[in-house]
Every structure is written in structure tokens, then in C-alpha cells.
Amino acid sequence: MPFVRAMLRNDYSKDGSQFSVTELLGPPQRTYLKRDNKEIRSTYSMFAAFIGTSMHATFERDTVESEGEIAERRVHANVCGADVSGQIDLYCNNTIYDYKTVRSPKSKIESKHYDQVCCNGYLAELNGFEVEQVAVIYIDITWQYSRSVLDSSYPQDPWRIFLMPYDREHAITILNKAIPEHLTALAGNPRDCTSEEQWQKPTVYAITKQGATRASKLCDSYAEAQELLKPGQIIETRPGARTFCGTPQNSMCALAYCCPQFKRESNISPSTPDF
Ligand code: SF4
């Protein structure tokens, strides 16, 4: 059935390169685990890939080469002794663009997205492209037309484009740090994922009105929440979580099932077979 095939399709390819920029910006431990294990994608990952792939295909269809636009080009270069590839979503007017589907409005470019587009810019330069700027186009798939009409502070469009200067030195610094780490991981010695790589969210203390779900204030500590508490309000503890690692039942990391760090931090016995 087309629907099922579309959801199960995984077109991601690094075109025979040793590392893709996407991989290098992710945790080295994932590179290590991928060496000998298959990724098992969750419903979330499959859906996210489906949305992203559909959007890229649509934008590629509407690219006009006669106007100097180049879409979906994978470029390779030897960096720190490794064959690294990066995917250019769009190149035009000496600018490298990256498309991102997101689930909340963006008021600025996320640093990890800036890192990625600068690294792609650097690889593009090594392939003869002239690069002066980088840009990320965010498409918010949760945008609601009705809210945009009723609330003038709500984004009036589902997309936002952020144009930034290209920083070659920044890209070189990132790649010089990431490539040795990933080579070490491939050799069998990965470091643990950091809390940032696990998308660790801290525990917060929400001050809410009795019976309400929306917090009037989020505090970093219970003591701070107690100090600010007014009559009729309660403190609700919202436990932190490693959002990307998730739980054995629901992980965004397609390698959690075989990850020793995940088992350790989830208090699963190391001898437990892959779940
Ligand atoms: S499950 Fe978590 S700790 Fe393990 S590789 Fe994935 S992100 Fe890293």
C-alpha cells in the first residue's frame, strides 16, 4: 500500500562517504552503534522523515536551474583525513540554504542548525562554490491559521527564513573536533553521549492555579517556587527527561535498544537482551 511504503521509506544516504555532516554533528556513540547495528525507527522518526522528505521533494521540484538555483546536491571533501559529505538543500545567490520542518515557531536560528549549514557551506566551498551567507528556512508544521487571525502576537506565516553570515573558521573548528571523536568511536571507543546530545530537560517546578494545566510560572527550584507561591496556587513538579533517549517504550534514538549507556541510565540490566 503506498501509504505504508511511504512511511517505511528511508531515503537517507551518505553517498558512500565515511561521515556525513549530520552524523558528525550527532553523538559519536551513535556512529559506533550504527557500525554493527540496524536502526529501528520509532513512529515519531518515521513520521518526521516522511514530512521532511516530502518537503524537500516539493522544493526540489520548484527549483529553477536556469536562475542559478542548485537543489539537493551532495558534496564530498577530504577533511582531517576522512571523506566527509554534506547535503546542500539549496544553493543560490552565494548562499547555502537548509530546510527544516519544526514543531514550534522559531524566533532565531538554532545554533545546531547554524553549525550544520556552516559545515555544508565549508564543504561546498571546497567543491568550488562561492559562499558568502548561510540560511535556514523553518517550516512550522503546527502553525494554525485560526490563531494567526485571532492573535496578532502569533506568527502570521508558517515559515521563517534566517539569513546569517557564513563563518568558515567556525565550520573548521567544529569538524576538527568532531572527526577525531567519530574516528575514535568507529575504532570501538565511543565517549558517552552528553546531556545536551540526549536533549536533557531539567526538572522544573510549575506554579499553577488549582485544577489548571497551564503554569503561570516555571521555576528551577522548589524553594524559588515556594517563595513566589500565592494563595490558591499549587506547585507541580515536572520531572526532567532525556527527551531524545526517551524510554524503552518510546525512544527517538533508533539505537537506544542496543545502547549500553541507555541501559545503564535507565537501570536496565546490561545482560537484558535488546528490547
Ligand atoms: S540512546 Fe541516548 S545515550 Fe544511547 S546513543 Fe542514543 S542518544 Fe546516545
Side-chain angles (χ1 to χ4, degrees), residues 16 26 67-68 144 196 225 256 268:
E67 292 192 6
Q144 295 168 30
E196 198 186 346
I268 299 170

Side-chain angles (χ1 to χ4, degrees), residues 123-144:
L123 295 184
E125 261 197 326
L126 295 176
N127 280 270
F129 289 77
E130 200 170 322
V131 184
E132 289 171 3
Q133 298 183 102
V134 292
V136 176
I137 302 181
Y138 288 111
I139 311 285
D140 179 5
I141 59 168
T142 63
W143 184 79
Q144 295 168 30

